[in-house]
């Protein structure tokens, strides 16, 4: 690392804080603060959506999987891209027309308010752990850049994200995400990818150096790919962090086309990460951990200045996911849990912005504290997605696709699926496949059986639901009460 590299990184971090301050001036209402006023156009929407779904796990972890398995290491990020494409093509237009702030508010609309609190708790746990995994990743990057202690690195990175997220909410996060999207594209796709391949001697030399399995599309294993689909593709369909970005779209056309562009970008990013990891295997065949591949190739293979930009790109990946998960966590905590427990009436717009800002600060400090206590990113991410998909996939997709689904069925599905997943993770281990397989099956059975055994959803509730899905004008919901 040279003075030029450090300057690039410091300027980048200062720019994030400046954009946070600028975004604060635009966040004058609840809608501005939580969903950027619901007025993002296609370019900004697709850039910010790509930024949030491609975080540290997709960048550092994607390169690590390429180092370990070769080109088939792309599957984790590919399934994220496929999930985003499915969300954009099949569901995003309807989600955008609902004009809500949280997934739990969608469940309230569909089922008549019977499952909002418990679904809010499940979603809060997911978004909290997602923010934690991104925050833990700061330690790796800041250690490479500045040689900082792990705790200091987490506090430094967390403080920057908390600062710009608290200042301007979704407007600040959107502005910073656009910069992060550009930096990530230039740093990873346009610089690191070609330089890594050239340093490794080109594809012919890489094929000659490595076993054939490194170039097999299914070298990582069919069961692993299937598990990735269940966890990540389905996770993209129902996560509050992803839905909250859908809510920022100007209209349903922007949500569909912009999301499709972002999903396609994810596919390219997945292949790039796997190729970079494969090149790193040729250059550094005996690394202690596959996750060291990204930092090692950046540190040793890149020229002055470029090294700083690529490390800034890694920071971009982590910060975009962290800030998106943080505002999602705070939105759910304030509007789906705290407000329901208090049963408070709607507050004035100014007070509501202040309240959401306070919750981002409190949740941010919580995330930093949990991140310091934990150390295993993969396990934390697996817990987050297992609980989310096992508990909420069936009620959400069932609500969108099956008229006969009821509030009692949704509540049973959340409880049975979530508890099954947690119990099996304790019994079989966090990284086992059984929790998500059996948890999803239990959630489906509970949803269908209880829905069929209980009285259908009230006709007036369904009528209001279908009118919202059709895009009938509706007042902006107040997120401060049930």
């Amino acid at each position: 690392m040279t003075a030029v590299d450090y300057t690039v990184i410091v300027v980048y971090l200062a720019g994030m804080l400046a954009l946070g301050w600028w975004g604060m001036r635009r966040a004058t209402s609840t809608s501005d603060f939580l969903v950027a006023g619901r007025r993002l156009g296609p370019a900004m929407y697709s850039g910010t959506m790509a930024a949030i779904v491609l975080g540290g796990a997709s960048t550092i972890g994607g390169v690590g999987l390429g180092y370990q398995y070769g080109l088939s290491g792309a599957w984790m990020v590919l399934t994220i891209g496929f999930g985003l494409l499915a969300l954009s093509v099949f569901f995003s237009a309807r989600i955008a027309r609902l004009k809500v702030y949280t997934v739990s508010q969608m469940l309230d609309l569909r089922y008549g308010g019977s499952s909002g609190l418990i679904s809010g708790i499940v979603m809060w746990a997911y978004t909290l752990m997602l923010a934690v995994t991104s925050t833990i990743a700061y330690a790796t990057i800041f250690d490479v850049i500045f040689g900082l202690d792990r705790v200091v690195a987490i506090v430094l990175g967390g403080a920057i994200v908390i600062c710009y997220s608290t200042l301007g909410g979704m407007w600040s996060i959107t502005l910073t995400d656009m910069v992060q999207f550009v930096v990530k594209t230039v740093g990873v796709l346009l610089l690191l990818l070609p330089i890594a391949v050239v340093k490794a001697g080109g594809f012919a030399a890489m094929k000659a150096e490595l076993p054939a399995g490194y170039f097999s599309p299914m070298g990582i294993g069919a069961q692993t790919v299937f598990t990735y689909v269940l966890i990540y593709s389905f996770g993209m369909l129902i996560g509050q962090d992803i839905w909250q970005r859908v809510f920022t779209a100007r209209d349903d056309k922007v949500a569909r086309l912009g999301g499709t562009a972002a999903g396609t970008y994810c596919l390219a990013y997945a292949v790039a990460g796997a190729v970079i990891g494969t090149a790193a295997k040729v250059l550094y065949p005996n690394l202690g951990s596959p996750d060291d591949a990204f930092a090692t190739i950046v540190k040793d293979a890149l020229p002055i200045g470029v090294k700083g930009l690529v490390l800034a790109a890694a920071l971009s990946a982590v910060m975009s996911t962290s800030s998106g998960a943080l505002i999602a966590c705070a939105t759910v905590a304030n509007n789906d849990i705290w407000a329901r427990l208090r049963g408070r009436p709607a507050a004035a717009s100014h007070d509501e912005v202040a309240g959401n800002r306070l919750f981002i600060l409190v949740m941010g400090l919580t995330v930093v504290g949990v991140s310091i206590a934990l150390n295993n990113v993969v396990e934390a991410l697996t817990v987050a997605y297992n609980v989310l998909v096992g508990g909420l996939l069936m009620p959400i997709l069932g609500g969108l696709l099956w008229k006969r689904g009821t509030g009692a069925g949704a509540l049973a599905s959340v409880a049975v699926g979530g508890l099954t997943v947690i119990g099996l993770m304790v019994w079989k281990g966090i990284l086992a496949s059984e929790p998500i397989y059996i948890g999803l099956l239990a959630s489906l059975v509970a949803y269908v059986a209880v829905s069929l055994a209980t009285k259908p959803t009230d006709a007036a509730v369904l009528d209001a639901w279908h009118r919202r899905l059709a895009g009938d004008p509706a007042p902006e919901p107040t997120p401060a009460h049930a």
Side-chain angles (χ1 to χ4, degrees):
M1 294 286 291
T2 67
V4 174
D5 296 311
Y6 285 124
T7 300
V8 170
I9 293 166
V10 170
V11 168
Y12 165 77
L13 294 176
M16 295 300 99
L17 293 175
L19 286 172
W21 183 263
W22 186 35
M24 181 177 66
R25 303 189 326 185
R26 306 192 66 169
T28 57
S29 70
T30 299
S31 179
D32 286 332
F33 193 84
L34 295 182
V35 290
R38 304 190 194 273
R39 55 179 185 267
L40 296 191
M44 186 167 282
Y45 176 85
S46 59
T48 58
M49 182 63 88
I52 188 177
V53 300
L54 295 173
S58 299
T59 304
I60 298 170
V63 171
L65 287 172
Y67 182 89
Q68 188 173 3
Y69 297 106
L71 298 186
S72 66
W75 273 109
M76 183 185 78
V77 185
L78 284 174
T79 56
I80 291 174
F82 292 147
L84 184 52
L85 286 171
L87 173 71
S88 302
V89 172
F90 299 113
F91 300 109
S92 64
R94 282 183 282 180
I95 293 171
R97 288 196 292 265
L98 290 175
K99 302 294 184 186
V100 294
Y101 290 106
T102 69
V103 174
S104 292
Q105 288 178 344
M106 168 264 171
L107 292 173
D108 278 352
L109 281 173
R110 171 59 181 81
Y111 297 113
S114 58
S115 58
L117 180 59
I118 188 172
S119 64
I121 293 171
V122 172
M123 190 62 75
W124 174 80
Y126 157 73
T127 53
L128 178 72
M129 294 307 293
L130 187 62
V132 165
T133 61
S134 300
T135 305
I136 291 173
Y138 295 139
T140 301
I141 301 170
F142 278 108
D143 178 54
V144 172
I145 297 173
F146 301 116
L148 294 177
D149 175 77
R150 176 180 179 274
V151 173
V152 175
I154 288 173
V155 171
L156 176 60
I160 294 170
V161 170
I162 291 169
C163 185
Y164 73 70
S165 300
T166 302
L167 285 173
M170 186 60 82
W171 265 122
S172 292
I173 292 170
T174 297
L175 294 170
T176 55
D177 276 359
M178 279 305 299
V179 175
Q180 290 161 354
F181 171 73
V182 172
V183 170
K184 198 155 44 179
T185 301
V186 173
V188 175
L189 295 183
L190 302 183
L191 292 176
L192 183 57
L193 174 61
I195 290 172
V197 172
V198 170
K199 289 279 187 180
F203 284 104
M206 290 162 62
K207 284 187 175 182
E209 185 75 20
L210 297 172
Y214 267 75
F215 301 91
S216 168
M218 296 300 292
I220 198 171
Q223 182 177 356
T224 299
V225 174
F226 182 63
T227 302
Y228 284 161
V229 170
L230 287 183
I231 294 177
Y232 297 115
S233 294
F234 286 134
M236 288 296 105
L237 297 180
I238 59 176
Q240 169 68 25
D241 53 322
I242 309 302
W243 277 43
Q244 199 156 343
R245 294 310 172 99
V246 175
F247 301 151
T248 66
R250 184 171 60 210
D251 52 42
D252 53 14
K253 183 178 180 182
V254 168
R256 186 186 302 110
L257 297 181
T260 300
T264 304
Y265 177 89
C266 290
L267 303 184
Y269 200 87
V271 174
V275 171
I276 292 167
T278 305
K281 183 66 176 179
V282 173
L283 294 169
Y284 318 101
N286 299 311
L287 291 179
S289 168
D291 285 342
D292 293 337
F294 180 87
T296 302
I297 197 168
V298 168
K299 188 165 58 175
D300 293 348
L302 299 183
I304 293 173
V306 173
K307 187 183 303 182
L309 182 61
V310 172
L311 285 172
L315 279 175
S316 297
V318 175
M319 286 184 168
S320 57
T321 299
S322 181
S323 58
L326 177 58
I327 192 172
C329 180
T331 302
V332 171
N334 187 18
N335 303 305
D336 289 336
I337 300 176
W338 181 240
R340 293 170 191 269
L341 293 175
R342 290 184 63 189
R344 69 186 183 193
S349 178
H350 174 75
D351 293 335
E352 199 49 46
V353 170
N356 281 294
R357 185 173 280 132
L358 176 62
F359 263 83
I360 289 181
L361 176 60
V362 172
M363 289 299 105
L365 294 175
T366 302
V367 165
V368 169
V370 175
S371 300
I372 292 171
L374 296 180
N375 195 32
N376 193 311
V377 177
V378 174
E379 289 192 358
L381 191 65
T382 302
V383 169
Y385 274 99
N386 278 356
V387 172
L388 172 73
V389 175
L392 289 180
L393 179 67
M394 295 306 167
I396 293 171
L397 291 189
L400 290 168
L401 300 174
W402 191 38
K403 183 179 179 180
R404 186 60 181 82
T406 67
L411 193 60
S413 181
V414 173
V416 171
L419 291 175
T420 301
V421 164
I422 292 170
L424 286 171
M425 283 193 293
V426 173
W427 179 30
K428 295 288 188 178
I430 290 174
L431 300 180
S433 299
E434 290 88 348
I436 191 61
Y437 294 164
I438 300 175
L440 268 177
L441 180 60
S443 181
L444 173 62
V445 170
Y447 181 68
V448 173
V450 175
S451 291
L452 292 176
T454 53
K455 188 172 71 172
T457 304
D458 185 84
V461 172
L462 283 179
D463 181 62
W465 164 257
H466 288 304
R467 283 191 283 107
R468 290 287 282 272
L469 279 181
D472 283 0
E476 189 80 354
T478 301
H481 62 87

